[in-house]
Amino acid sequence: MVDEHDRARDHDTVERTTIVETDSGGGGGILAVVLLIIVVLVLLFLFKDELGFGSKSDDINIPDKIEVNVN
């Protein structure tokens, strides 16, 4: 014999929640790559002399007059 309580329990509604996630297109990875490139460029600029990329200027003295004695 089926009890009234059993029938009511069989017909109870169950609330369900569906979560839908949408992908943002992977913007975080692109941002990380751009920041990495900027950091590398800044470090290259700061340490260019130590790495040999900087131009070392040598002082060259050129006299104002050149005296030539012709005999």
Side-chain angles (χ1 to χ4, degrees), residues 1 5 11 48 71:
M1 175 170 201
H5 182 66
H11 294 288
K48 65 182 176 183
N71 290 334

Side-chain angles (χ1 to χ4, degrees), residues 1-12:
M1 175 170 201
V2 178
D3 190 274
E4 283 291 321
H5 182 66
D6 290 336
R7 279 190 201 154
R9 188 181 64 208
D10 289 341
H11 294 288
D12 284 344

Side-chain angles (χ1 to χ4, degrees), residues 23-48:
D23 190 17
S24 64
I30 294 172
L31 181 64
V33 170
V34 169
L35 287 176
L36 180 66
I37 290 171
I38 290 172
V39 168
V40 168
L41 289 175
V42 168
L43 289 175
L44 283 175
F45 179 75
L46 292 176
F47 297 106
K48 65 182 176 183

